[in-house]
Amino acid sequence: MENKESSGIIGKMKIFKIKSTWKHLVMFDFDDTLAQTTEATLVRSKKTNKIVDHLSGQEEFDSHSLEDRFYYDFKEFYQVSDQAIPIKRTTALVNYFKKQADTKVIVLTARQPQALPAIRAFLGKQGVDTKTVSFFGSDGSKNKVGYLKKLISRYSISNTVTIFEDNLHNIKDMIALEYDFPDLSFEFVQVIDPEKCGDIEEAKRFSYP
């Protein structure tokens, strides 16, 4: 299988040969991994549609108990706000890895699929060449590990999987993939914001020096 995607023209028909096997997969989360973001999950009243609470970040959402008279509004996550701040060290790594011919680079966010065009546009403004980067939304953090499992199989990864993720609970969930793919080598890299990390010693276990 040729490493690069190629194309040719037969008569008036344009043929694209898409690479289907890769040695390496590099996955980036988006929120607090590629950018510091401010979007929140809104809790609204079913009766009045008024906002009764804001849930900032995954930890607040995961620990929240929703009463039957309320519902979650995720529409803020469909866009990337003007207040978002790119994390330059990781956005630079996207460009670094995508230049490697045997490496497939993906962005897998817990956001809904409706958010993917906005995420792609935001990264493009930061100088990230997104043409060969694939974007996926798992619609919830608990769905990420299953989604990633399918992508590893979809891209026929044969050597390594590297995961850049800020949330330690997500990393711990993804460690189970080592048992599903015993022939692959996994590396888990936690992108740490010292102001948000309450268990820095535990986090170091999954971080680059």
Side-chain angles (χ1 to χ4, degrees):
M1 179 68 68
E2 192 174 337
N3 283 339
K4 297 182 178 179
E5 296 182 359
S6 58
S7 64
I9 298 178
I10 300 178
K12 294 183 178 180
M13 183 186 300
K14 193 170 185 179
I15 305 297
F16 287 91
K17 296 180 180 179
I18 301 176
K19 179 177 170 61
S20 59
T21 61
W22 305 81
K23 289 184 178 180
H24 312 288
L25 179 71
V26 180
M27 186 216 96
F28 291 89
D29 173 46
F30 179 67
D31 293 284
D32 295 323
T33 297
L34 291 172
Q36 295 176 350
T37 55
T38 59
E39 285 75 38
T41 301
L42 307 179
V43 181
R44 291 183 181 271
S45 167
K46 290 181 179 179
K47 185 176 181 179
T48 66
N49 207 39
K50 290 183 178 180
I51 298 171
V52 298
D53 202 356
H54 295 73
L55 306 177
S56 300
Q58 181 178 327
E59 291 184 6
E60 281 193 25
F61 178 78
D62 288 345
S63 63
H64 185 264
S65 179
L66 186 68
E67 297 180 29
D68 186 60
R69 57 199 177 102
F70 301 128
Y71 72 95
Y72 291 132
D73 180 352
F74 299 105
K75 289 182 181 177
E76 279 197 12
F77 288 99
Y78 295 178
Q79 303 296 325
V80 179
S81 74
D82 294 337
Q83 286 73 43
I85 301 173
I87 300 175
K88 294 182 179 180
R89 290 185 66 183
T90 48
T91 55
L93 285 173
V94 176
N95 283 333
Y96 170 78
F97 283 115
K98 69 180 296 295
K99 291 177 182 178
Q100 301 178 18
D102 292 327
T103 300
K104 178 60 183 176
V105 178
I106 66 172
V107 174
L108 175 57
T109 174
R111 293 189 183 207
Q112 294 71 29
Q114 295 94 320
L116 301 182
I119 291 174
R120 182 186 290 272
F122 173 83
L123 292 176
K125 292 178 182 178
Q126 314 312 317
V128 175
D129 183 358
T130 63
K131 292 179 182 177
T132 58
V133 178
S134 297
F135 292 78
F136 304 95
S138 67
D139 194 11
S141 61
K142 294 180 180 179
N143 301 327
K144 288 183 80 171
V145 62
Y147 214 115
L148 181 57
K149 181 179 179 180
K150 292 179 181 179
L151 291 172
I152 292 171
S153 297
R154 171 179 170 178
Y155 291 116
S156 301
I157 304 302
S158 60
N159 285 25
T160 69
V161 177
T162 304
I163 296 167
F164 289 86
E165 166 73 56
D166 70 290
N167 188 276
L168 188 57
H169 295 294
N170 290 347
I171 290 174
K172 288 180 177 180
D173 288 343
M174 291 176 181
I175 287 175
L177 292 172
E178 293 182 320
Y179 299 96
D180 295 317
F181 301 96
D183 296 330
L184 298 182
S185 175
F186 284 78
E187 184 157 21
F188 303 91
V189 185
Q190 189 182 24
V191 180
I192 300 174
D193 181 347
E195 294 183 0
K196 295 183 179 180
C197 184
D199 192 350
I200 195 72
E201 293 303 319
E202 177 71 6
K204 286 179 180 177
R205 293 178 53 209
F206 307 101
S207 303
Y208 278 141

